Amino acid sequence: MSIYRIAHLSDPHLPPPPGAFGLSDVFTKRLLSRIAWRKKRKIHRPEVLAALVADMKAAAPDHVVISGDLTNFASPAEITAARAWLEALGDAADHTISPGNHDALAGPGGHERFAIWSPWLGDAGEASFPQVRVRGPVAIFNLCSALPTAPHLATGRLGTEQLQRLDAALADPAHAERFRLVVLHHPPHHGAVSKRKRLEDQEALRAVLAKRGADLVLHGHAHEALVGSVRGPGGAAIPVLGVPSASAKPSRHAPARWHQIEIEPRPEGGHAVRVVARGLSETGTEISELGRFILADLATRAETA
């Protein structure tokens, strides 16, 4: 059986375009982020992101998942510029975007702010969540944990309605034999990030996953390469993987990395999954392979850690 390859990258933090910050933003949370960006722009480098994207494109994955934080201030100019960047990646049907907290930093709180990204959110043609995209042997459950927060907070929340819809989608028998991939920006497990950055309703999400199951959860937000797990039906471990920022040069956070997730249906049922990590080393200046891992081994290691 053929192998289906999904590329996962996150937190590109694209350079703010002209007009990304206006006088009216002085009275919003965008002012704090603009001040913070003076330091962060030395870490989030466009040349690093370009090299990572070129490496990913050379691998020719079947589908690309980007788990949020395309922008820094969530300004209309940034949201529009991010769409242009997405268009340059390729066909929107081959790319799924889960918005991050920086993409909802200030302004209206509803998902309609992401309407301009609708072709990359799912196949419904609208900014709604969750959306389910069936691609090859994979069903991608795209969630949105992004919402405006108070200064110095970077928390996320899914909300009751989105969780109820996720519960129903995961229970749909049409996806029972597929590899069920859940994507969101904030990590769903304890200890991945500090309290001020956590997913506020992570317990409710974990309850849905424990009831309905999934094969893998992908996230960003932590700017680190993280391996974790949450419990599925019967106590089985569901692996959780996070990647560092796709634009980060070596610094106090992990350098840029992307994961190629190779999914191969087994004749007897289920899927064999291998993860290939590619990115910058702590001292390197070129994108290279960093390691290969079997998903089942990662889940076992995370469960016993």
Side-chain angles (χ1 to χ4, degrees):
M1 291 187 176
S2 61
I3 297 175
Y4 194 83
R5 295 174 172 87
I6 290 182
H8 175 216
L9 61 145
S10 194
D11 299 76
H13 289 282
L14 301 170
F21 188 88
L23 288 177
S24 61
D25 294 322
V26 171
F27 305 102
T28 72
K29 188 179 177 180
R30 291 190 181 115
L31 176 61
L32 294 175
S33 287
R34 188 188 185 195
I35 294 171
W37 178 248
R38 293 177 180 176
K39 292 183 178 180
K40 291 181 179 179
R41 67 185 178 186
K42 298 177 182 178
I43 298 172
H44 296 289
R45 301 302 306 159
E47 65 272 15
V48 171
L49 177 61
L52 194 88
V53 169
D55 186 75
M56 179 195 72
K57 284 187 174 183
D62 296 295
H63 198 80
V64 178
V65 168
I66 304 176
S67 50
D69 277 4
L70 279 68
T71 72
N72 299 283
F73 317 137
S75 65
E78 281 188 294
I79 298 292
T80 300
R83 178 182 171 114
W85 180 76
L86 290 170
E87 289 173 340
L89 290 181
D91 191 340
D94 297 329
H95 299 76
T96 296
I97 312 303
S98 177
N101 59 291
H102 275 272
D103 302 322
L105 193 75
H111 293 156
E112 63 273 8
R113 67 163 64 232
F114 304 121
I116 193 173
W117 295 352
S118 291
W120 293 268
L121 303 179
D123 297 331
E126 60 185 24
S128 63
F129 299 93
Q131 292 199 44
V132 184
R133 302 185 107 167
V134 175
R135 299 291 187 270
V138 183
I140 303 169
F141 298 80
N142 191 25
L143 309 180
C144 181
S145 59
L147 77 167
T149 56
H152 306 296
L153 290 180
T155 52
R157 185 171 63 249
L158 297 169
T160 301
E161 180 180 354
Q162 188 175 176
L163 286 166
Q164 288 176 343
R165 293 179 64 187
L166 174 64
D167 181 274
L170 287 171
D172 188 338
H175 308 311
E177 301 303 319
R178 298 188 183 275
F179 185 89
R180 295 183 296 169
L181 176 66
V182 176
V183 182
L184 73 164
H185 180 66
H186 290 76
H189 53 305
H190 288 301
V193 292
S194 65
K195 185 176 180 180
R196 75 176 190 86
K197 296 182 177 182
R198 69 186 177 91
L199 181 66
E200 293 176 347
D201 48 2
Q202 60 180 258
E203 290 85 0
L205 172 58
R206 290 199 300 271
V208 172
L209 294 173
K211 177 183 178 183
R212 300 300 186 188
D215 295 289
L216 177 62
V217 180
L218 299 180
H219 70 85
H221 192 48
H223 289 203
E224 300 287 349
L226 296 180
V227 178
S229 68
V230 296
R231 291 194 176 277
I238 300 172
V240 179
L241 296 181
V243 289
S245 164
S247 60
K249 71 176 188 179
S251 64
R252 64 185 180 90
H253 287 296
R257 177 190 292 202
W258 70 279
H259 287 160
Q260 178 163 272
I261 300 160
E262 302 178 348
I263 303 165
E264 184 175 15
R266 293 191 180 105
E268 67 275 18
H271 303 83
V273 184
R274 181 174 65 174
V275 179
V276 180
R278 294 187 60 84
L280 294 175
S281 67
E282 293 292 343
T283 57
T285 58
E286 296 184 356
I287 307 297
S288 61
E289 184 173 315
L290 303 175
R292 296 178 176 228
F293 315 94
I294 302 301
L295 191 63
D297 295 340
L298 287 175
T300 301
R301 188 175 73 185
E303 190 177 23
T304 58

